[in-house]
Amino acid sequence: MPKQPQIDPVLAAHLEHAAGNVTVVVTLRRPKSAKPASADMRALAARVLDETSTMSGASPTSHNVLANLGVLVVDAPVEFVVQLLRHDSITTAALNETPQ
Amino acid sequence: MTSTSTSIAALGFAEVMARVEPGSYEVMRYFSAPPETQSAALAAASGKRKATAARHFEHLGIVVGTVDAAGLAALRADKRVGRVVSPPVLSLIRPVSAKAPDTAALAAATTWGIEYMKVPQLWDTGLSGKGVTIAHIDTGVDGTHPTLSNAIVSFAEFDMLGNIVAPPPLAHDPGAPPHGTHTAGTIIGSSIGGTRIGVAPGARLASAICIEGGNVTARILGAMDWSINQGARVMSMSLGFRGYWPQFIVIIDALRSNGVLPVIAAGNEGPGTSRSPGNYVKALSVGAHDVNSNVAWFSSSQRFRRARQPIVPDICAPGVDVLSAQPGNSSASWDGTSMATPHVAGLAALLMEANPKASISKIEQAIMSTAQRPAGISAERAGAGFVNALEALAAVE
């Protein structure tokens, strides 16, 4: 059973009150055995986005896959982000923008 | 002391806060107590400390909320509160001071830092960092500066989602923010006025603009990801989140699994502080020392409750009165752990050239195990000690 994702509490608190779009940085679950190929991480990211869209009924406005690092950056409506954080391929999540 | 604060303190909480707007404060409290006890404490804190909009994550043992100035003052006044840290503010580690170089510095054969580390002895063996690419995660660089000519092999700028900006930016913009030009000079610069300033002048630099003009996480991660595609074996980074934010441990793991040694500044906030990701176990964190073998007053240091490498920084390197390049064919002497970090990144490149088959862990271990701590300098401030390039070379060959 996958471990619960490590969600930055600042992001979690932000989602309580957020409206409109939120930009988040999530890391994808990497296989423990070997260094995953970039293509595999891109495929995983695409699957996560598709499944989250289906479950939430919303679509991301924009996204970027940093395949070497296993990172997905998503700008999306709150309902999409909330659903994304429930996906079992997510290991960590944080807000992209931090207080200045 | 009120009974409320007593009950909270009895839970052993180490809490945390920072101002987010005038008159209000974001508060996070870390409890070590069972969830039901946390709930009771939260209720008490909300009432007595004027917390509002609190959100309780009982399985994490964390509460996020907001208190007003009076509530914040009460929390800070509680002597039983373990520590106070900021929320995850991402920023460049700015120099503590900057000044024009003095004539003595410009008359020397090398900078004092390069001499102190015994780098010229490595140069004498023919080492220059040749064949090694160093990722430079910073503000950009003035590649037209004579000391950097032909040293920058790739350059990219990243947008707020971590995408490479197209078309390519002004890779050789004399108007580039000065921080990146200074740190690049210490890594690979040739000379200024006859003084050699770069530790690894034969190395190649892959320089990324990803901080200032938008300090968001994705820009930094985009630059790191790009660094791997550039074939970098060392990453020199002088920025971070104030405090300890574990979300990006997996990122540092990913860098290392791709063969990149992350060399990261500890921060300039002094004793009892550090920044992430420099304060992760798997980052090679760098503090600053001066020419008189003192740890710089501003150099961050912190002890963590962990078995492996509990002290940040791992090592110290020259970071006071460091002469390097400035945009517009200029130069300046700066203080900061940002200035110490490129010294170590350059050294790592020299060692990688000396032993191309050495793993990044071996390189890191060679630097750390041969660092020396002068009498009177504590491990709490200096980690393993001050870098000695000559000893590190012997350890890696």
Side-chain angles (χ1 to χ4, degrees):
Chain A
M1 184 174 171
K3 283 169 57 176
Q4 288 286 315
Q6 186 179 33
I7 298 172
D8 179 0
V10 176
L11 168 61
H14 182 78
L15 291 174
E16 295 277 306
H17 309 287
N21 272 32
V22 177
T23 307
V24 293
V25 176
V26 301
T27 54
L28 301 170
R29 196 172 300 284
R30 300 160 66 94
K32 286 191 174 173
S33 53
K35 189 177 82 173
S38 293
D40 293 339
M41 296 309 291
R42 290 186 188 283
L44 174 58
R47 182 170 66 80
V48 167
L49 291 171
D50 282 348
E51 291 176 358
T52 303
S53 291
T54 301
M55 295 293 289
S56 68
S59 298
T61 305
S62 56
H63 74 276
N64 186 21
V65 181
L66 306 174
N68 292 319
L69 300 179
V71 168
L72 174 61
V73 184
V74 183
D75 180 56
V78 173
E79 56 267 30
F80 181 95
V81 173
V82 169
Q83 188 63 45
L84 176 67
L85 301 190
R86 296 180 183 139
H87 200 288
D88 61 12
S89 291
I90 302 301
T91 56
T92 73
L95 271 174
N96 188 32
E97 191 159 4
T98 68
Q100 299 301 305
Chain B
M1 191 64 66
T2 68
S3 59
T4 301
S5 60
T6 300
S7 66
I8 294 171
L11 300 173
F13 83 131
E15 60 53 72
V16 176
M17 73 308 303
R19 178 154 49 186
V20 291
E21 58 187 356
S24 68
Y25 299 82
E26 184 165 312
V27 176
M28 301 174 64
R29 302 190 186 90
Y30 293 75
F31 293 91
S32 56
E36 60 274 17
T37 317
Q38 294 174 32
S39 296
L42 170 62
S46 297
K48 298 289 186 181
R49 299 205 186 268
K50 301 179 181 177
T52 59
R55 174 85 164 89
H56 185 199
F57 302 92
E58 63 180 40
H59 299 300
L60 300 177
I62 292 171
V63 175
V64 179
T66 303
V67 293
D68 63 12
L72 180 64
L75 290 170
R76 283 184 166 157
D78 191 330
K79 291 187 167 56
R80 289 163 292 190
V81 169
R83 67 192 176 106
V84 177
V85 299
S86 302
V89 177
L90 174 65
S91 63
L92 186 70
I93 299 175
R94 297 178 187 283
V96 174
S97 74
K99 63 182 182 183
D102 59 35
T103 48
L106 290 171
T110 69
T111 61
W112 76 262
I114 285 174
E115 189 70 33
Y116 190 103
M117 287 171 58
K118 298 183 169 60
V119 170
Q121 287 93 319
L122 274 63
W123 293 341
D124 290 344
T125 69
L127 295 173
S128 67
K130 187 177 180 184
V132 179
T133 298
I134 301 170
H136 175 240
I137 310 295
D138 214 297
T139 62
V141 58
D142 176 11
T144 64
H145 197 296
T147 197
L148 298 172
S149 72
N150 302 320
I152 301 163
V153 294
S154 52
F155 190 82
E157 181 173 6
F158 295 85
D159 70 12
M160 299 305 158
L161 289 183
N163 296 296
I164 295 176
V165 172
L170 298 172
H172 303 289
D173 181 5
H179 190 278
T181 301
H182 199 281
T183 53
T186 302
I187 300 172
I188 52 156
S190 52
S191 61
I192 292 176
T195 303
R196 298 185 71 175
I197 63 165
V199 175
R204 296 175 297 202
L205 202 70
S207 184
I209 296 179
C210 58
I211 192 80
E212 304 288 72
N215 295 349
V216 300
T217 303
R219 291 187 83 196
I220 311 302
L221 299 184
M224 290 180 177
D225 197 81
W226 171 81
S227 300
I228 293 168
N229 289 338
Q230 302 310 302
R233 292 204 64 204
V234 187
M235 181 189 78
S236 182
M237 188 168 90
S238 300
L239 54 88
F241 295 91
R242 293 187 181 189
Y244 186 80
W245 299 94
Q247 285 84 358
F248 304 108
I249 289 175
V250 290
I251 302 298
I252 297 301
D253 288 347
L255 278 172
R256 293 187 74 112
S257 72
N258 280 283
V260 182
L261 176 63
V263 183
I264 305 177
N268 292 345
E269 288 83 34
T273 70
S274 63
R275 291 192 183 213
S276 293
N279 52 17
Y280 297 165
V281 169
K282 292 186 179 177
L284 180 54
S285 60
V286 186
H289 71 78
D290 66 16
V291 68
N292 296 315
S293 301
N294 296 309
V295 175
W297 63 269
F298 56 78
S299 185
S300 288
S301 58
Q302 191 164 15
R303 175 178 282 276
F304 290 90
R305 290 181 192 169
R306 62 192 186 204
R308 286 187 59 203
Q309 299 181 14
I311 296 173
V312 173
D314 292 312
I315 49 169
C316 285
V320 176
D321 209 12
V322 175
L323 170 66
S324 190
Q326 291 287 269
N329 196 11
S330 185
S331 62
S333 293
W334 283 13
D335 298 355
T337 55
S338 288
M339 284 62 255
T341 300
H343 280 95
V344 177
L347 172 59
L350 297 179
L351 300 179
M352 288 171 175
E353 181 190 9
N355 184 353
K357 292 183 178 175
S359 67
I360 58 170
S361 293
K362 180 167 179 143
I363 299 292
E364 179 181 49
Q365 188 58 28
I367 294 172
M368 287 184 61
S369 65
T370 58
Q372 295 163 352
R373 213 168 53 242
I377 300 296
S378 73
E380 296 290 328
R381 290 287 285 137
F386 300 171
V387 172
N388 183 321
L390 198 55
E391 296 289 334
L393 176 63
V396 83
E397 283 182 327

